[in-house]
């Protein structure tokens, strides 16, 4: 008799902490809906154990991993190959184990774009975009957003230096500039305002530039929670046309990872519905 448990392809999400992650639920739903027989685990791994844990997962038949905070940047050092988007983002959220090699990719940017374009029907061509924050998350989404040919992309940050470094890095890819929160240019309304700070994770609402929000602004918080995040509440209170959290990006980046691993792109709408997080 064949022991089927040994033939199930193993995947998982590695982070620290990781117990809050919704990735196992999402990937199990994708597997169910696409008829794929996979196992998806939650792997809490401290930073100093990262290399050992990744190599052990690979050695014991692991086929792929999602990588989350705080490992997205350090894990790139373990990769034999990096996709262009992972290398530009300086962050890896997906590992593929193939022919004894570790391939690092990043599906966060495309996940955000798909959520904006497909789930919310937003056209970014010619749009004025404001990103609040200049950390790893901003670095990951700036390139993909510029590829959509916006009219302008302003990166505003508490500390101007970090915003300048990212704007400088992408200056050949499109009309990107940097400023402080209190110096956001407001000569034209912003069509899209993205919160990429980690302030909300600590329940903080920094002095975001209220004048940047108009009744036409679509506000998107990369953070998400069961309750509205401080930024999404703030943006709604400023009179934004719409204020949403990043649940859709989470599901869409997962779908892209699933596609890389299994060659099948799952339909995300039933998963968004099933998680009761539709827009
Ligand atoms: P991530 O990888 O999630 O982007 P990060 O690299 O630590 O995390 O970046 C966090 C971002 O949130 C930074 O832009 C940070 O601003 P600074 O560069 O000035 O530190 C921003 N941030 C975090 N807490 C904040 C707060 N209370 N007020 C304003 N900005 C904050």
């Amino acid at each position: 008799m064949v022991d089927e448990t040994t033939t199930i392809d193993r995947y998982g999400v590695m982070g620290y902490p990781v117990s809050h992650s919704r990735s196992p639920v999402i990937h199990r739903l994708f597997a169910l809906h696409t008829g794929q027989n996979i196992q998806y685990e939650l792997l809490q791994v401290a930073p100093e154990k990262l290399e050992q844990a990744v190599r052990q997962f690979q050695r014991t038949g692991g086929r792929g991993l999602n990588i989350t905070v705080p490992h997205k940047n350090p894990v790139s050092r373990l990769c034999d190959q990096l996709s262009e988007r992972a290398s530009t983002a300086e962050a890896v959220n997906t590992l593929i184990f193939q022919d004894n090699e570790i391939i690092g990719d990043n599906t966060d940017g495309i996940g955000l774009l798909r959520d904006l374009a497909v789930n919310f029907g937003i056209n970014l061509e010619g749009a004025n975009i404001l990103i609040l924050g200049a950390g790893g998350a901003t670095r990951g989404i700036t390139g993909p957003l510029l590829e959509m040919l916006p009219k302008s992309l302003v990166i505003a940050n508490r500390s101007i230096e970090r915003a300048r470094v990212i704007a400088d890095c992408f200056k050949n890819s499109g009309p990107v500039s940097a400023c402080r929160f209190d110096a956001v240019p407001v000569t034209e309304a912003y069509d899209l305002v993205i919160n990429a700070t980690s302030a909300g994770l600590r329940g903080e609402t920094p002095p975001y530039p209220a004048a940047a929000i108009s009744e036409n602004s679509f506000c998107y918080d990369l953070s998400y929670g069961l309750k509205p995040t401080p930024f999404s509440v703030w943006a709604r209170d400023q009179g934004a046309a719409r204020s949403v959290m990043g649940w859709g990006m989470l599901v869409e980046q997962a779908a892209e990872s699933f596609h890389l691993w299994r060659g099948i792109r799952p339909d995300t709408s039933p998963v968004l519905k099933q998680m009761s997080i539709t827009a």
Side-chain angles (χ1 to χ4, degrees), residues 130 132 154-158 160 164 177-187 190 207-209 211-212:
L130 172 64
L132 303 170
V154 176
I155 300 173
N157 198 41
R158 174 172 62 182
I160 179 84
R164 280 208 185 112
S177 60
C179 64
R180 279 196 190 88
F181 284 159
D182 59 7
V184 170
V186 287
T187 41
Y190 290 96
Y208 294 128

Side-chain angles (χ1 to χ4, degrees), residues 6-51:
T6 58
T7 62
I8 295 181
D9 290 341
R10 288 175 65 213
Y11 298 89
V13 56
M14 210 171 258
Y16 191 77
V18 81
S19 55
H20 62 282
S21 172
R22 295 297 190 93
S23 293
V25 175
I26 296 170
H27 282 282
R28 284 170 200 156
L29 287 170
F30 286 163
L32 192 71
H33 297 161
T34 57
Q36 298 280 301
N37 191 19
I38 68 161
Q39 183 175 317
Y40 193 100
E41 304 158 33
L42 202 55
L43 301 153
Q44 171 137 317
V45 172
E48 65 277 10
K49 297 271 173 60
L50 178 65
E51 174 161 8

Side-chain angles (χ1 to χ4, degrees), residues 133-137 157-159 162 181 196-199 202 204 206:
N157 198 41
R158 174 172 62 182
S159 35
R162 293 184 83 189
F181 284 159
T197 74
S198 54
R202 288 179 298 280
E204 294 167 5

Side-chain angles (χ1 to χ4, degrees), residues 75-219:
V75 84
S76 59
R77 286 195 289 275
L78 307 179
C79 297
D80 301 293
Q81 286 181 56
L82 272 187
S83 69
E84 200 181 322
R85 56 194 184 179
S87 139
T88 314
E90 295 183 358
V92 166
N93 81 333
T94 307
L95 294 182
I96 303 149
F97 300 108
Q98 201 174 288
D99 306 328
N100 270 327
E101 289 211 320
I102 304 179
I103 301 164
D105 203 342
N106 189 319
T107 63
D108 285 332
I110 185 73
L112 172 65
L113 291 187
R114 282 194 71 96
D115 195 30
L116 290 171
V118 180
N119 299 334
F120 291 109
I122 293 176
N123 177 14
L124 294 177
E125 191 173 341
N128 291 309
I129 303 176
L130 172 64
I131 302 179
L132 303 170
T138 297
R139 184 175 282 278
I141 61 173
T142 298
L145 285 170
L146 286 172
E147 280 174 27
M148 297 294 105
L149 307 175
K151 184 172 176 195
S152 71
L153 192 157
V154 176
I155 300 173
N157 198 41
R158 174 172 62 182
S159 35
I160 179 84
E161 266 321 304
R162 293 184 83 189
R164 280 208 185 112
V165 168
I166 299 180
D168 216 45
C169 173
F170 290 94
K171 67 173 187 276
N172 295 327
S173 310
V176 57
S177 60
C179 64
R180 279 196 190 88
F181 284 159
D182 59 7
V184 170
V186 287
T187 41
E188 281 191 85
Y190 290 96
D191 304 293
L192 173 65
V193 180
I194 297 174
N195 176 39
T197 74
S198 54
L201 301 177
R202 288 179 298 280
E204 294 167 5
T205 308
Y208 294 128
I213 311 291
S214 79
E215 76 270 12
N216 294 320
S217 306
F218 184 96
C219 293

